[in-house]
Amino acid sequence: MPEQKRTARGVLGGFLGFVGLSVAAGILVTAAVTPALAVTGMTANNTIGVFDGLPDYLKVGQSMEKTNIYATASDGSTPLLASFYDQNREEVTSDQVSQFAKDAAVAAEDPRFFEHGGVDIIGTARAIFKTYVVGGQTQGGSSITQQYVKNVLIQQCETESATNEELNACAEDATTASGAEGAARKLKEMRLAIGVEKDYSKDDILLGYLNIANFGARTYGIQAAAKYYFNVNAIDLNVEQAATLVAMVNNPSNLRIDKPANEVNGAADGYSKTKIRRDYVLDDMLEHGKITAEQHAWAIAAPITPAIQPPSSGCQTAGNAAFFCDYVTWIVKQDPAFGATKEERAAALRRGGLQIYTTLDLDLQAASQASLDAQIPHSMARTNIGAAASTVQPGTGRVLAMAQNKIFSNDPAVTATSNEYTSVNYNTDKGYGGSSGFQVGSTFKAFILLDWLKEGHSLNESVNGAKRTFSKWTDSCSGNYTQSYTPKNYDGTSPGSITPIDATRRSVNTAFIAMAQKLDMCSIFQGAEDMGVHRADGKPLERFPATLLGANEIAPLSLATAIAGIAHSGLTCTPIAIDKVIGPDGAEIAAPKSTCTQAVTPEVAHAATFAMETVFKGGGTASRAAVSGAPLMGKTGTADDAVHSWITGGTSNAITSLWIGNVSGSSSMYDVNVKRGVTGFSAKFAVFSGILKSSIAKYGGDAFPDPSESLIKAKRVAVPEVAGQSVEAATSILEKSGFGVQVGAPVDSSIGAGLVAATDPGAGSEVATGSTITLRPSSGVAPVTVPNVVGADPEAAKKTLEGVGYGVAGECEVDPEAGPGKGVVSKQNPAADTQLAAGQTVTITVKRQACE
């Protein structure tokens, strides 16, 4: 390139640069002539002593390195799910790098590397004179140690810069080569290079350089470059490949060999630019005795033949586990275990060199996805159909599988083409890459059942499940609720008296609302939260009567966690997706841990489990999903108008929560045909049973613990005496005793009209708690004692009874032995001395020899 005429300003800047660098001559000549001087007692001088405070980020050590996420296969191996990186890099040790690569770097970049103390004074002097005095094209002259320092400074820019503007400014400051600024930067680089040489061996510095150097685009370090460009490990690079990679370091942007279509430096011209530089490297290797003449001749003759192996990046590479993979990345970005700030956590994912071993079971994941795929399409013409299934391990919180009916993509251009693609994970919360959740319907009844049992009620008490309007609700947290609510049962029935265990099996809305009326709504929802239930959008659980039947939007993973807690004797464990994390130095890093809480007592959990086992048995709402091999428990749920449909449950060792419904819109799953003859509602049974078969085959399942007799048997309580009380007061007394109350027809009584005259069953009767007691209000009419007319003449008996105020009805009974005439009264009904209100009828029976 012809040399351009220099301006006065350019000459002045060059001169100042020359003067600036000359000030450092004393340091450079003494400290850089030989490596021995850089590490001797001369470092005590006030000149060299500045290197004692070398910044930590210039220590030879970890650079940016990609993070890998792994799953577990049936043979115990840990296949790679995905990698994440800003820089594709794998740190390697010296014995993992081909000697050809080491020799090529020294021969081409710094032949006197093993002789100087960090700065090649001969090369630097030549570069100073050419760049700052003679002028013209900027000369390098940087030693390998200086190049390492510059790369570390640039790396530090990338690590610490919050914006691209900050990064560009920082990088420019670290690489400026011209004028006074370039001279100052060069001086700083020299000083730091000498400091590095003071603390580290030549072999360590060379390895640090090879591990940090850029080889084009986002490929950094000799190991990643060897894999990407030649599909070999760094230790297996031959002389030609090693020389090619070292050649590329000279100008990574222009000399990279992964652009075969380029007209210049592409496959058609044999990567001409790179070959020229490669051959230069080979010549230097021969000149400095690093290779033989035969090796040189062979390598010079060899064409550049890349074998590009693009590295995986992002969860798209995780196949059917992509949504689980995405969940893991959100854990890394959210959990303090990976950094104190969100910036540190993001850097840990893309730069930290972490090896993350997850809880995912690839066998169960494959089975879950296959079961979903067999029933639920990715997309439909008129319904944005969605389905998701999360499986957790009770007692540990380990997430074993996470399937979804969509194809994972976080590319907006792809997701805009069809709703079969999404980056939203329907299994988990919005804060972890998920949706805002889905209404869970009757699944929430499990938490009413828990509170019912916690308050001392039993599974076989009598509950009034009749269809009616409810209007009174206790809520100790925010005040009692008085608005009316008229729930319906999905089958339109009004079952009347029913036990909680049967209401659980059949999922009777009216029965559970009746149960909730006897409880504290605040306690029900607090208990659900204790079990791990929360809204997917992060807001507090809404609390009003309709939410007792599942109007809150919740994610499948939350439900799986909560039901797993019931299945494991009330011990609820927060979900975890990571088993182990290994840092870039090979040491294990503390991974996020599950927090396990005894949310309810084992006795309560065992009784609830006993009831929830009936859901999978004959007549239960999940019986169509049941499979053999292990005891099952759980709960179904259907939101209003069947917009969403759920099954959550499983065995003692694996609990799955399955949701099928509308991602958006309000199509009824009763009406949406996901395949020929199968609706979205009915498809859940086949999907769930498919997952169950695999989880039972892999994990089995034990018998659930027996419940306490006290929580199964209905308690029997004496009916209180409430005669003479107002209907309202009597109702309050009976309800406080655990009874349901209804008002029957009035009865005659001397008690004031409208007050309670009697109950049915009567006062003192031993009946089951929860039974319905009928109140009989008084008519206010006192009853009269029926006189005795047996043996009297029929006419006389009639006069006697009518005189008291009764009507009289007569019956004739033939008796051949009766006396002649009209006969006598042989029987009366009601009997004598019976209390009977005036105006009622008494029937008399007369015996005669013959009846007309």
Side-chain angles (χ1 to χ4, degrees):
M1 177 182 293
E3 193 174 296
Q4 296 185 9
K5 185 176 181 181
R6 307 181 73 199
T7 65
R9 184 174 180 178
V11 171
L12 178 60
F15 176 74
L16 291 175
F18 175 73
V19 171
L21 279 178
S22 297
V23 172
I27 299 175
L28 298 178
V29 171
T30 57
V33 168
T34 171
L37 292 178
V39 294
T40 62
M42 289 185 63
T43 58
N45 296 344
N46 58 2
T47 305
I48 304 299
V50 297
F51 305 122
D52 290 338
L54 192 68
D56 287 341
Y57 58 78
L58 281 174
K59 304 297 185 183
V60 174
Q62 182 195 358
S63 303
M64 289 188 194
E65 195 171 349
K66 68 182 178 182
T67 288
N68 296 317
I69 296 177
Y70 304 91
T72 301
S74 55
D75 61 0
S77 62
T78 54
L80 178 68
L81 288 180
S83 298
F84 299 85
Y85 54 82
D86 283 336
Q87 297 180 355
N88 178 26
R89 181 199 313 278
E90 293 181 51
E91 294 275 339
V92 287
T93 59
S94 184
D95 60 0
Q96 294 174 313
V97 180
S98 165
Q99 189 62 42
F100 290 129
K102 300 175 188 176
D103 290 341
V106 172
E109 297 295 323
D110 189 359
R112 289 177 287 275
F113 173 67
F114 288 100
E115 301 168 11
H116 62 64
V119 178
D120 180 2
I121 195 63
I122 298 173
T124 300
R126 182 177 63 247
I128 290 173
F129 185 77
K130 176 63 176 173
T131 301
Y132 298 108
V133 180
V134 177
Q137 197 170 13
T138 298
Q139 296 294 299
S142 294
S143 68
I144 283 177
T145 312
Q146 288 174 262
Q147 292 183 56
Y148 170 73
V149 166
K150 180 170 68 175
N151 280 325
V152 170
L153 291 172
I154 294 172
Q155 185 107 128
Q156 188 67 14
C157 291
E158 296 192 26
T159 301
E160 295 183 348
S161 298
T163 65
N164 286 333
E165 290 75 13
E166 290 181 16
L167 173 60
N168 292 335
C170 181
E172 183 177 352
D173 183 60
T175 57
T176 298
S178 59
E181 293 83 3
R185 194 274 299 173
K186 201 73 172 178
L187 176 59
K188 176 183 177 181
E189 183 182 283
M190 292 175 185
R191 294 194 346 253
L192 292 173
I194 295 171
V196 169
E197 293 263 359
K198 182 172 74 74
D199 285 348
Y200 295 98
S201 71
K202 290 289 186 177
D203 287 341
D204 285 341
I205 295 169
L206 178 58
L207 178 65
Y209 167 72
L210 289 173
N211 270 328
I212 201 172
N214 176 241
F215 290 84
R218 292 198 293 169
T219 304
Y220 288 78
I222 192 69
Q223 172 70 358
K227 283 187 173 181
Y228 176 56
Y229 290 110
F230 295 113
N231 194 27
V232 298
N233 288 310
I235 189 63
D236 298 317
L237 289 167
N238 62 34
V239 62
E240 182 274 326
Q241 293 167 335
T244 300
L245 294 182
V246 170
M248 291 165 60
V249 173
N250 184 256
N251 193 333
S253 296
N254 293 332
L255 300 182
R256 54 193 289 190
I257 56 172
D258 59 349
K259 302 291 183 182
N262 285 355
E263 291 185 12
V264 178
N265 207 52
D269 70 355
Y271 301 96
S272 57
K273 286 186 176 182
T274 307
K275 186 176 185 304
I276 291 171
R277 180 66 186 178
R278 181 205 68 176
D279 292 350
Y280 168 82
V281 173
L282 290 169
D283 289 345
D284 281 350
M285 293 178 75
L286 178 64
E287 177 184 349
H288 294 287
K290 303 300 183 182
I291 56 175
T292 66
E294 291 77 14
Q295 289 173 319
H296 177 266
W298 172 84
I300 288 287
I304 294 178
T305 54
I308 303 298
Q309 295 295 316
S312 65
S313 178
C315 287
Q316 289 91 336
T317 66
N320 64 28
F323 290 101
F324 174 84
C325 170
D326 185 66
Y327 175 55
V328 173
T329 69
W330 281 96
I331 292 174
V332 175
K333 290 184 286 187
Q334 300 271 24
D335 199 293
F338 297 95
T341 66
K342 65 178 183 180
E343 291 79 14
E344 290 177 4
R345 296 189 288 271
L349 178 64
R350 306 195 66 85
R351 306 171 181 175
L354 305 178
Q355 308 303 309
I356 299 175
Y357 296 89
T358 69
T359 60
L360 187 70
D361 182 319
L362 286 177
D363 294 334
L364 189 56
Q365 176 67 27
S368 298
Q369 191 64 53
S371 192
L372 261 183
D373 291 343
Q375 300 292 328
I376 310 297
H378 295 315
S379 64
M380 298 181 69
R382 290 180 294 276
T383 300
N384 189 1
I385 191 75
S390 290
T391 302
V392 301
Q393 187 176 58
T396 67
R398 297 176 73 248
V399 181
L400 302 176
M402 188 175 279
Q404 188 160 313
N405 75 313
K406 303 292 185 180
I407 302 171
F408 179 83
S409 176
N410 52 19
D411 184 346
V414 174
T415 57
T417 63
S418 169
N419 62 21
E420 67 179 327
Y421 300 98
T422 187
S423 62
V424 179
N425 186 350
Y426 305 144
N427 284 282
T428 191
D429 297 338
K430 191 172 184 178
Y432 284 83
S435 72
S436 57
F438 310 100
Q439 291 189 356
V440 299
S442 293
T443 315
F444 197 82
K445 292 172 184 172
F447 309 107
I448 300 176
L449 179 64
L450 286 177
D451 202 63
W452 175 264
L453 295 166
K454 280 163 47 178
E455 292 301 316
H457 295 285
S458 80
L459 294 177
N460 280 296
E461 289 184 19
S462 179
V463 174
N464 182 7
K467 180 181 175 181
R468 61 195 188 278
T469 297
F470 298 84
S471 59
K472 293 188 300 182
W473 313 87
T474 301
D475 187 338
S476 62
C477 291
S478 56
N480 296 340
Y481 194 88
T482 57
Q483 293 188 23
S484 61
Y485 179 51
T486 307
K488 299 178 182 178
N489 295 316
Y490 79 97
D491 58 2
T493 61
S494 179
S497 182
I498 189 172
T499 63
I501 191 169
D502 196 35
T504 302
R505 178 177 64 88
R506 296 165 52 190
S507 195
V508 179
N509 291 343
T510 49
F512 273 93
I513 293 300
M515 292 162 63
Q517 270 205 319
K518 297 183 178 183
L519 304 170
D520 183 345
M521 195 183 298
C522 177
S523 177
I524 293 171
F525 283 89
Q526 183 59 58
E529 290 175 346
D530 291 343
M531 297 299 298
V533 175
H534 54 269
R535 287 180 59 90
D537 60 9
K539 299 176 182 178
L541 287 174
E542 294 182 355
R543 195 167 66 243
F544 51 88
T547 59
L548 291 166
L549 297 181
N552 276 297
E553 290 89 4
I554 299 168
L557 184 58
S558 297
L559 280 188
T561 298
I563 301 302
I566 300 175
H568 200 74
S569 299
L571 185 70
T572 299
C573 297
T574 56
I576 54 169
I578 299 172
D579 276 337
K580 182 173 65 174
V581 180
I582 303 297
D585 59 356
E588 187 166 347
I589 298 172
K593 302 296 183 184
S594 175
T595 300
C596 294
T597 305
Q598 193 68 46
V600 294
T601 64
E603 291 76 17
V604 166
H606 297 163
T609 300
F610 183 74
M612 293 167 72
E613 285 186 84
T614 67
V615 173
F616 284 92
K617 295 179 179 179
T621 54
S623 60
R624 292 166 59 189
V627 299
S628 60
L632 304 174
M633 62 81 70
K635 187 70 188 73
T636 58
T638 304
D640 284 349
D641 301 318
V643 173
H644 306 292
S645 190
W646 297 76
I647 303 180
T648 303
T651 69
S652 61
N653 296 331
I655 293 292
T656 298
S657 184
L658 167 68
W659 159 79
I660 298 173
N662 293 266
V663 175
S664 59
S666 56
S667 299
S668 171
M669 291 298 106
Y670 291 138
D671 302 327
V672 173
N673 289 306
V674 293
K675 57 188 296 188
R676 188 176 182 86
V678 179
T679 66
F681 177 83
S682 60
K684 67 183 179 183
F685 302 111
V687 174
F688 198 84
S689 63
I691 297 172
L692 272 182
K693 289 174 184 176
S694 181
S695 72
I696 291 174
K698 186 74 177 283
Y699 295 97
D702 301 320
F704 294 105
D706 292 331
S708 168
E709 286 292 321
S710 64
L711 293 178
I712 294 180
K713 290 183 177 179
K715 298 177 182 178
R716 301 189 72 81
V717 181
V719 177
E721 177 62 75
V722 293
Q725 301 282 343
S726 67
V727 170
E728 292 75 16
T731 298
S732 177
I733 292 169
L734 291 169
E735 286 181 341
K736 288 180 179 178
S737 297
F739 296 109
V741 179
Q742 64 182 6
V743 179
V747 295
D748 292 328
S749 171
S750 58
I751 295 174
L755 298 178
V756 175
T759 60
D760 182 17
S765 301
E766 293 280 338
V767 297
T769 302
S771 297
T772 298
I773 306 299
T774 301
L775 296 178
R776 296 287 189 178
S778 171
S779 66
V781 178
V784 180
T785 301
V786 177
N788 185 4
V789 294
V790 174
D793 175 82
E795 292 296 335
K798 182 178 180 182
K799 287 181 181 181
T800 300
L801 293 170
E802 287 177 344
V804 178
Y806 296 126
V808 179
E811 294 180 351
C812 179
E813 179 182 355
V814 175
D815 184 358
E817 295 181 1
K822 295 179 180 181
V824 295
V825 176
S826 60
K827 290 186 292 187
Q828 69 179 69
N829 185 29
D833 299 327
T834 300
Q835 297 291 307
L836 184 68
Q840 302 299 312
T841 298
V842 176
T843 301
I844 60 175
T845 302
V846 180
K847 285 187 178 183
R848 294 179 179 177
Q849 291 181 352
C851 293
E852 297 179 357

